[in-house]
Amino acid sequence: MNKIAEEYVKLALNIGRYDKDFIDAYYGPESWRPQQDSVVFNESVYEQLNSKVNSLLDEMESLSVYNATELEKLRYRYLYKQLLACKTKIFMLNGVSLSFDEEARALYDTDVPAHDEKFFKSAIEELDKVLPGKGTIAERVQKFKERFRIPEERLKSVFDAAIKECRERTLKNIQLPPTENFTVEFVKNKPWGAYNWYKGNFYSVIQVNTDLPVYIDRAVDLAAHEGYPGHHVYNALLEWNLYRQKEWVEFSVYVLFSPQSLIAEGTANYGIQVAFPGNERIKFEKEVLFPLAGLDSNQAELYYKVLELQKNLSYAGNEAARNFIDGKWNEQQAVDWLVKYSLRSKESAMKYLDFIKQYRTYVINYNVGQDIIKNYIERNGGTENNPTKRWELFKYLLSTPQTPGGLK
């Protein structure tokens, strides 16, 4: 298995030469990196890469009779599914066109539930009842949310406070490497809202994109998702437990378009409510973040009610991606749908479409991933009434090789 793992890392790095987004992080031996970063993909390259991934999958099959421990079984399943994702990416680089559902299944090891307009209309009707003002519901949501926009000059202090609180709550429940650390940068002209660039040695660079307005709830969202107990903690624990201690080299590389990303995004999103159970988040934001942002908290209760009603609308992004990738909608139709059913501003909808164009079915990892993580943890007793068990299960998912299919 160790030899297959080494060859998997080298294969993934080689595929990364042909897609700049494929390798999200790598902190293994420098000698394994391909010398040439950017080259042309052609039939010869396809045959070479496809032959390699097939031989590794064949070797994995030959190991299936090995009498393994539970952790080794998880490792086996993880490595096998990661190799299948690599094979899928090789096909896609060679011009194979997959449907939205085929691509999501092949890359992220999950099926994606479909939602029709009726599903979104019910949530929008509830919003229509509680939101003041005139105009379309999308216009009223945007106008209302503007009251809770963090002024750009206050972003750093608000975000620093949010990360400090998220980190303290995480450290009470999860032991992290003593040298773990991060820096925060505010950037522009990116297709995403925030990104964790994990550098290895338990260090992350967290970038927050300020192209679009950043509202008060996003401070905790981003601090928890990108930092604690989200991506930074996930990557640090995998490096510490599996790469450094067990010397499982497959965990020196993070392949973005793979089942690992569904686990990463799902835990990062679910981790927000693990860190802030019940009304603890609202209490913290009203008492600490609102004053730091210079915002009036008088209408905070309505704001949080609006946010709660909007949660199901995140699946509207999946439907936009499904229809756009499958060629059923053009750009304008996708943007119009996102404005109508995600209740985004036109600018935000266009930014989201940019994300779909670049990352395609990756969008499903945020909500479908969160659902899979939530269902697994709560099914095994990690409910809000049992926070100790919930943290225990959450840490287990962050520290072990997991696949979406395995959790379901």
Side-chain angles (χ1 to χ4, degrees):
M1 186 88 81
N2 289 338
K3 180 61 178 173
I4 296 172
E6 178 179 329
E7 292 303 312
Y8 155 74
V9 174
K10 293 175 178 177
L11 171 69
L13 292 173
N14 205 359
I15 297 171
R17 298 165 72 195
Y18 307 96
D19 182 339
K20 63 182 178 60
D21 295 319
F22 190 67
I23 301 299
D24 191 70
Y26 176 64
Y27 43 87
E30 280 301 311
S31 61
W32 291 5
R33 287 186 189 272
Q35 291 184 343
Q36 193 175 1
D37 290 333
S38 182
V39 284
V40 177
F41 193 92
N42 55 36
E43 189 64 27
S44 174
V45 171
Y46 166 73
E47 289 176 359
Q48 177 191 356
L49 293 177
N50 194 47
S51 175
K52 184 63 180 178
V53 75
N54 284 341
S55 69
L56 291 176
L57 286 167
D58 287 343
E59 286 184 60
M60 290 290 288
E61 294 285 355
S62 71
L63 291 176
S64 60
V65 295
Y66 174 71
N67 187 21
T69 65
E70 283 304 310
L71 189 61
E72 286 172 331
K73 289 176 184 176
L74 289 177
R75 183 192 187 190
Y76 177 92
R77 181 188 291 154
Y78 171 88
L79 194 49
Y80 192 86
K81 292 297 178 73
Q82 292 294 114
L83 282 166
L84 286 178
C86 286
K87 184 174 176 67
T88 301
K89 187 61 183 180
I90 293 166
F91 278 7
M92 293 172 70
L93 286 168
N94 200 44
V96 172
S97 180
L98 299 175
S99 71
F100 173 89
D101 288 296
E102 289 169 339
E103 183 180 315
R105 194 176 301 117
L107 290 179
Y108 305 114
D109 190 32
T110 191
D111 292 317
V112 184
H115 297 90
D116 59 17
E117 289 186 70
K118 184 179 178 181
F119 175 83
F120 304 111
K121 282 179 178 177
S122 59
I124 288 173
E125 285 170 2
E126 289 300 311
L127 280 165
D128 193 33
K129 293 174 186 175
V130 302
L131 267 180
K134 296 180 180 179
T136 67
I137 188 67
E139 291 168 344
R140 284 151 58 199
V141 164
Q142 294 306 317
K143 186 175 180 181
F144 179 69
K145 286 173 69 175
E146 277 300 309
R147 304 176 192 179
F148 303 93
R149 179 177 184 170
I150 305 171
E152 195 160 341
E153 68 274 11
R154 293 179 181 249
L155 269 176
K156 186 179 186 307
S157 60
V158 172
F159 199 76
D160 285 349
I163 282 198
K164 181 175 181 290
E165 181 72 14
C166 290
R167 186 173 186 272
E168 288 176 358
R169 287 170 175 262
T170 299
L171 288 175
K172 287 178 183 176
N173 296 279
I174 297 177
Q175 182 183 1
L176 294 178
T179 58
E180 63 85 19
N181 203 357
F182 68 92
T183 56
V184 177
E185 299 174 354
F186 294 94
V187 298
K188 289 186 178 291
N189 301 317
K190 304 294 182 183
W192 33 257
Y195 211 109
N196 179 304
W197 301 101
Y198 190 70
K199 303 298 184 179
N201 293 315
F202 320 121
Y203 173 70
S204 292
V205 175
I206 298 172
Q207 292 187 329
V208 179
N209 185 9
T210 59
D211 284 347
L212 296 173
V214 181
Y215 302 108
I216 192 66
D217 62 293
R218 292 290 283 157
V220 165
D221 274 356
L222 298 179
H225 183 103
E226 306 297 341
Y228 305 86
H231 291 328
H232 174 68
V233 173
Y234 174 68
N235 284 305
L237 288 180
L238 289 182
E239 180 180 359
W240 197 21
N241 292 321
L242 302 182
Y243 180 56
R244 301 294 176 188
Q245 294 182 21
K246 291 191 173 296
E247 297 184 343
W248 288 359
V249 296
E250 64 267 38
F251 292 97
S252 66
V253 68
Y254 179 176
V255 172
L256 190 67
F257 304 115
S258 73
Q260 184 180 5
S261 280
L262 189 139
I263 303 297
E265 300 296 357
T267 51
N269 268 357
Y270 186 68
I272 299 167
Q273 65 191 84
V274 175
F276 293 88
N279 292 320
E280 290 184 22
R281 173 179 172 176
I282 295 174
K283 184 175 185 294
F284 168 70
E285 290 180 355
K286 286 177 68 175
E287 293 178 0
V288 179
L289 298 190
F290 271 78
L292 281 174
L295 299 177
D296 183 357
S297 64
N298 284 339
Q299 286 194 298
E301 299 304 324
L302 178 56
Y303 180 65
Y304 292 115
K305 185 172 183 178
V306 168
L307 292 179
E308 186 63 30
L309 289 171
Q310 279 189 276
K311 278 186 177 178
N312 281 343
L313 300 185
S314 75
Y315 297 100
N318 293 3
E319 299 310 317
R322 188 194 307 272
N323 284 282
F324 182 75
I325 288 170
D326 288 349
K328 296 178 180 177
W329 291 352
N330 59 29
E331 291 188 18
Q332 188 60 54
Q333 288 171 306
V335 167
D336 289 345
W337 169 272
L338 289 166
V339 169
K340 186 174 182 180
Y341 291 117
S342 283
L343 302 185
R344 293 175 176 271
S345 67
K346 186 174 181 181
E347 186 183 10
S348 173
M350 291 171 69
K351 179 71 72 175
Y352 192 85
L353 183 59
D354 286 343
F355 187 93
I356 293 171
K357 289 178 184 176
Q358 184 164 343
Y359 297 102
R360 295 176 60 84
T361 52
Y362 193 93
V363 297
I364 64 109
N365 292 324
Y366 300 100
N367 44 42
V368 176
Q370 181 176 349
D371 290 343
I372 290 173
I373 298 299
K374 178 179 185 291
N375 291 339
Y376 173 83
I377 289 179
E378 295 184 359
R379 188 171 68 243
N380 287 280
T383 62
E384 192 170 298
N385 294 329
N386 193 348
T388 301
K389 182 67 172 179
R390 184 152 72 166
W391 272 108
E392 178 188 315
L393 289 165
F394 188 74
K395 180 185 175 183
Y396 169 72
L397 295 184
L398 296 180
S399 310
T400 53
Q402 297 295 337
T403 58
L407 293 183
K408 288 196 291 184

